[in-house]
Amino acid sequence: MPIKNNFLVIGGYVISLFFALAISSCKKDCLDPTNPECSNYDACLTATRTSADFGFFNKGYLSSNGESVEIFLPTRDTVFIPEGGSYFMYYRPNSSEMDYYEWQIGLDPRTFNDSIHRTIFQNVAGDIDVTLKVEQELPNTDCFPDDTGVDQVTRTIHFIPYTASTIEEELKYRPIYGEYLGANEDAPLDTFRIQIIRRDWAGVGPYVEGLFKEFIVWRLTGNSHYIYFIEERTEYNAEGSIELLPDNKTIVIDYLIKHHDGSVIPKKWVGEKI
């Protein structure tokens, strides 16, 4: 009997070793460092450092499938504002995982603790500093040994008032409008023109003409350097963003073609203003 028990123990050990080796072998075939099941998993790749980095945005709305969709539109540090007009500015942190947020806007003595904050600027000119302070109760010092759990960042908005009485004068402060020549990255030799057009002085538009030869993109929201669009068509839907780069000449259109059979085709169009 003891000999039999020894064989059972040895057999059990061999089986356990076999399964351990099998699992290890499976992990070796998995090479995604962000996947905990993979042998090369690195927890620090998805860890969150305490960070107060943030960006400036304004907000637009688009209708999609019968519902209004909220779109945050990145804006530049320099804002051209109609003289005597107002501007809605949103500040959004790059990380939504902090435990504490504190905003201070210009010389306003108050502080604000919402993660995404909004200010309405009226009749402003010049520079306004915006400061964000964040805290994280349990910073990940295993991945970030120098993380104290507190961070603070200050950025400056430059407001420049302007007046305009014609479309031509107005478009000086909307540099994304214009005509561009370029191509999709998956077909670099197939160049074609795209126009971003403001239709009339009453504010109808903008429109994007040429990206899809069979229709004009008209369901969009945007600002002087950035446009987001959603289109719902019989054959497919399209959704994406158009960004004018800081050189004020190059636009990049990142978009998705969503066919109704479930297939999704990512596209990128890059062009230069002509």
Side-chain angles (χ1 to χ4, degrees):
M1 290 297 291
I3 295 175
K4 183 177 180 181
N5 286 339
N6 285 341
F7 274 120
L8 288 173
V9 171
I10 293 171
Y13 172 77
V14 171
I15 291 172
S16 299
L17 180 63
F18 172 79
F19 279 112
L21 289 173
I23 293 172
S24 175
S25 175
C26 288
K27 284 195 172 185
K28 287 180 182 177
D29 293 334
C30 172
L31 296 176
D32 181 358
T34 64
N35 185 346
E37 299 299 320
C38 296
S39 60
N40 65 335
Y41 174 62
D42 183 352
C44 291
L45 291 178
T46 54
T48 301
R49 174 188 283 275
T50 305
S51 173
D53 285 341
F54 68 94
F56 298 125
F57 296 83
N58 57 19
K59 190 162 65 173
Y61 295 89
L62 287 175
S63 175
S64 177
N65 297 317
E67 297 183 0
S68 181
V69 179
E70 183 180 78
I71 307 292
F72 282 94
L73 304 161
T75 69
R76 301 286 162 80
D77 293 349
T78 298
V79 175
F80 294 95
I81 182 170
E83 202 165 68
S86 59
Y87 192 90
F88 290 76
M89 175 72 78
Y90 289 80
Y91 325 101
R92 190 171 67 172
N94 292 354
S95 174
S96 61
E97 299 180 32
M98 301 296 103
D99 297 308
Y100 175 80
Y101 298 89
E102 180 183 288
W103 299 96
Q104 185 164 7
I105 315 300
L107 299 178
D108 190 333
R110 298 172 297 173
T111 57
F112 307 91
N113 300 112
D114 35 1
S115 59
I116 300 175
H117 187 64
R118 184 189 78 163
T119 303
I120 304 174
F121 292 101
Q122 293 180 305
N123 300 317
V124 295
D127 295 347
I128 294 179
D129 291 336
V130 178
T131 298
L132 173 62
K133 178 183 177 181
V134 300
E135 295 180 8
Q136 197 170 198
E137 292 179 3
L138 298 173
N140 189 333
T141 53
D142 291 333
C143 295
F144 312 109
D146 60 339
D147 192 342
T148 63
V150 178
D151 192 31
Q152 182 170 301
V153 169
T154 298
R155 293 187 60 186
T156 303
I157 318 170
H158 313 284
F159 283 100
I160 302 176
Y162 72 90
T163 58
S165 56
T166 65
I167 294 177
E168 289 73 20
E169 291 176 351
E170 172 76 12
L171 292 184
K172 292 178 183 177
Y173 307 101
R174 305 286 185 268
I176 197 169
Y177 289 92
E179 188 172 4
Y180 300 85
L181 178 65
N184 285 302
E185 285 191 340
D186 59 355
L189 299 181
D190 182 16
T191 59
F192 56 95
R193 297 186 179 198
I194 287 176
Q195 285 185 296
I196 300 176
I197 309 164
R198 183 177 177 122
R199 288 288 174 154
D200 62 34
W201 184 242
V204 179
Y207 289 82
V208 179
E209 192 172 65
L211 180 60
F212 306 100
K213 294 181 174 61
E214 66 271 29
F215 66 86
I216 296 174
V217 177
W218 63 273
R219 301 180 63 193
L220 47 77
T221 181
N223 55 39
S224 60
H225 290 82
Y226 191 88
I227 288 172
Y228 197 89
F229 64 87
I230 295 175
E231 287 292 333
E232 295 166 358
R233 296 286 158 171
T234 304
E235 299 81 9
Y236 59 83
N237 294 346
E239 182 173 348
S241 63
I242 305 173
E243 181 179 8
L244 178 65
L245 299 187
D247 64 5
N248 280 351
K249 291 174 52 182
T250 308
I251 62 167
V252 177
I253 307 177
D254 282 300
Y255 62 108
L256 299 174
I257 304 296
K258 301 178 179 180
H259 291 279
H260 298 317
D261 62 3
S263 61
V264 178
I265 302 174
K267 293 275 191 178
K268 177 180 281 191
W269 191 92
V270 180
E272 296 282 324
K273 185 173 282 189
I274 54 178

